[in-house]
PDB file of all heavy atoms in Angstrom:
ATOM      1  N   MET A 231      58.045  60.538  74.183  1.00 95.00           N
ATOM      2  CA  MET A 231      58.635  61.563  73.407  1.00 95.00           C
ATOM      3  C   MET A 231      60.187  61.691  73.595  1.00 95.00           C
ATOM      4  O   MET A 231      60.590  62.132  74.658  1.00 95.00           O
ATOM      5  CB  MET A 231      57.954  63.012  73.697  1.00 95.00           C
ATOM      6  CG  MET A 231      58.524  64.155  72.953  1.00 95.00           C
ATOM      7  SD  MET A 231      58.358  63.908  71.228  1.00 95.00           S
ATOM      8  CE  MET A 231      56.663  64.323  70.875  1.00 95.00           C
ATOM      9  N   PRO A 232      60.930  61.275  72.673  1.00 94.00           N
ATOM     10  CA  PRO A 232      62.498  61.477  72.753  1.00 94.00           C
ATOM     11  C   PRO A 232      62.800  62.949  72.964  1.00 94.00           C
ATOM     12  O   PRO A 232      62.184  63.797  72.483  1.00 94.00           O
ATOM     13  CB  PRO A 232      62.974  60.831  71.532  1.00 94.00           C
ATOM     14  CG  PRO A 232      61.837  60.033  70.947  1.00 94.00           C
ATOM     15  CD  PRO A 232      60.591  60.781  71.312  1.00 94.00           C
ATOM     16  N   ALA A 233      63.833  63.098  73.638  1.00 95.00           N
ATOM     17  CA  ALA A 233      64.382  64.437  73.893  1.00 95.00           C
ATOM     18  C   ALA A 233      64.587  65.312  72.709  1.00 95.00           C
ATOM     19  O   ALA A 233      64.227  66.471  72.590  1.00 95.00           O
ATOM     20  CB  ALA A 233      65.668  64.390  74.872  1.00 95.00           C
ATOM     21  N   ASP A 234      65.324  64.732  71.652  1.00 95.00           N
ATOM     22  CA  ASP A 234      65.522  65.462  70.439  1.00 95.00           C
ATOM     23  C   ASP A 234      64.334  65.893  69.682  1.00 95.00           C
ATOM     24  O   ASP A 234      64.244  67.088  69.125  1.00 95.00           O
ATOM     25  CB  ASP A 234      66.471  64.717  69.489  1.00 95.00           C
ATOM     26  CG  ASP A 234      65.943  63.412  69.146  1.00 95.00           C
ATOM     27  OD1 ASP A 234      65.119  62.846  69.820  1.00 95.00           O
ATOM     28  OD2 ASP A 234      66.418  62.808  68.086  1.00 95.00           O
ATOM     29  N   VAL A 235      63.353  65.111  69.680  1.00 94.00           N
ATOM     30  CA  VAL A 235      62.077  65.450  68.943  1.00 94.00           C
ATOM     31  C   VAL A 235      61.329  66.425  69.757  1.00 94.00           C
ATOM     32  O   VAL A 235      60.832  67.405  69.184  1.00 94.00           O
ATOM     33  CB  VAL A 235      61.136  64.135  68.825  1.00 94.00           C
ATOM     34  CG1 VAL A 235      59.916  64.540  68.053  1.00 94.00           C
ATOM     35  CG2 VAL A 235      61.959  63.049  68.047  1.00 94.00           C
ATOM     36  N   ALA A 236      61.293  66.427  71.078  1.00 95.00           N
ATOM     37  CA  ALA A 236      60.693  67.429  71.988  1.00 95.00           C
ATOM     38  C   ALA A 236      61.258  68.794  71.743  1.00 95.00           C
ATOM     39  O   ALA A 236      60.607  69.719  71.698  1.00 95.00           O
ATOM     40  CB  ALA A 236      60.764  66.999  73.411  1.00 95.00           C
ATOM     41  N   ILE A 237      62.614  68.827  71.613  1.00 96.00           N
ATOM     42  CA  ILE A 237      63.353  69.999  71.381  1.00 96.00           C
ATOM     43  C   ILE A 237      62.971  70.607  70.010  1.00 96.00           C
ATOM     44  O   ILE A 237      62.713  71.841  69.778  1.00 96.00           O
ATOM     45  CB  ILE A 237      64.815  69.885  71.497  1.00 96.00           C
ATOM     46  CG1 ILE A 237      65.244  69.625  72.974  1.00 96.00           C
ATOM     47  CG2 ILE A 237      65.628  71.122  70.966  1.00 96.00           C
ATOM     48  CD1 ILE A 237      66.709  69.091  73.085  1.00 96.00           C
ATOM     49  N   ASN A 238      62.953  69.715  69.036  1.00 95.00           N
ATOM     50  CA  ASN A 238      62.464  70.212  67.620  1.00 95.00           C
ATOM     51  C   ASN A 238      61.074  70.718  67.679  1.00 95.00           C
ATOM     52  O   ASN A 238      60.737  71.617  66.769  1.00 95.00           O
ATOM     53  CB  ASN A 238      62.743  69.029  66.664  1.00 95.00           C
ATOM     54  CG  ASN A 238      64.188  68.695  66.309  1.00 95.00           C
ATOM     55  OD1 ASN A 238      65.001  69.560  66.677  1.00 95.00           O
ATOM     56  ND2 ASN A 238      64.482  67.534  65.865  1.00 95.00           N
ATOM     57  N   TYR A 239      60.228  70.142  68.465  1.00 94.00           N
ATOM     58  CA  TYR A 239      58.734  70.615  68.429  1.00 94.00           C
ATOM     59  C   TYR A 239      58.757  72.040  69.146  1.00 94.00           C
ATOM     60  O   TYR A 239      57.763  72.757  69.085  1.00 94.00           O
ATOM     61  CB  TYR A 239      57.888  69.639  69.035  1.00 94.00           C
ATOM     62  CG  TYR A 239      57.199  68.786  68.109  1.00 94.00           C
ATOM     63  CD1 TYR A 239      57.573  67.371  68.021  1.00 94.00           C
ATOM     64  CD2 TYR A 239      56.260  69.213  67.327  1.00 94.00           C
ATOM     65  CE1 TYR A 239      56.856  66.539  67.221  1.00 94.00           C
ATOM     66  CE2 TYR A 239      55.488  68.410  66.435  1.00 94.00           C
ATOM     67  CZ  TYR A 239      55.807  67.000  66.358  1.00 94.00           C
ATOM     68  OH  TYR A 239      55.200  66.214  65.506  1.00 94.00           O
ATOM     69  N   GLY A 240      59.775  72.434  69.897  1.00 94.00           N
ATOM     70  CA  GLY A 240      59.677  73.565  70.681  1.00 94.00           C
ATOM     71  C   GLY A 240      59.078  73.411  72.087  1.00 94.00           C
ATOM     72  O   GLY A 240      58.553  74.393  72.549  1.00 94.00           O
ATOM     73  N   ASP A 374      52.699  62.640  66.688  1.00 89.00           N
ATOM     74  CA  ASP A 374      53.834  61.809  67.084  1.00 89.00           C
ATOM     75  C   ASP A 374      53.542  61.067  68.413  1.00 89.00           C
ATOM     76  O   ASP A 374      53.925  59.936  68.568  1.00 89.00           O
ATOM     77  CB  ASP A 374      55.052  62.594  67.295  1.00 89.00           C
ATOM     78  CG  ASP A 374      55.860  62.924  65.900  1.00 89.00           C
ATOM     79  OD1 ASP A 374      55.330  62.278  64.816  1.00 89.00           O
ATOM     80  OD2 ASP A 374      56.839  63.474  65.904  1.00 89.00           O
TER      81      ASP A 374
END
Side-chain angles (χ1 to χ4, degrees):
M231 176 59 77
D234 57 336
V235 181
I237 292 169
N238 288 338
Y239 264 112
D374 276 359

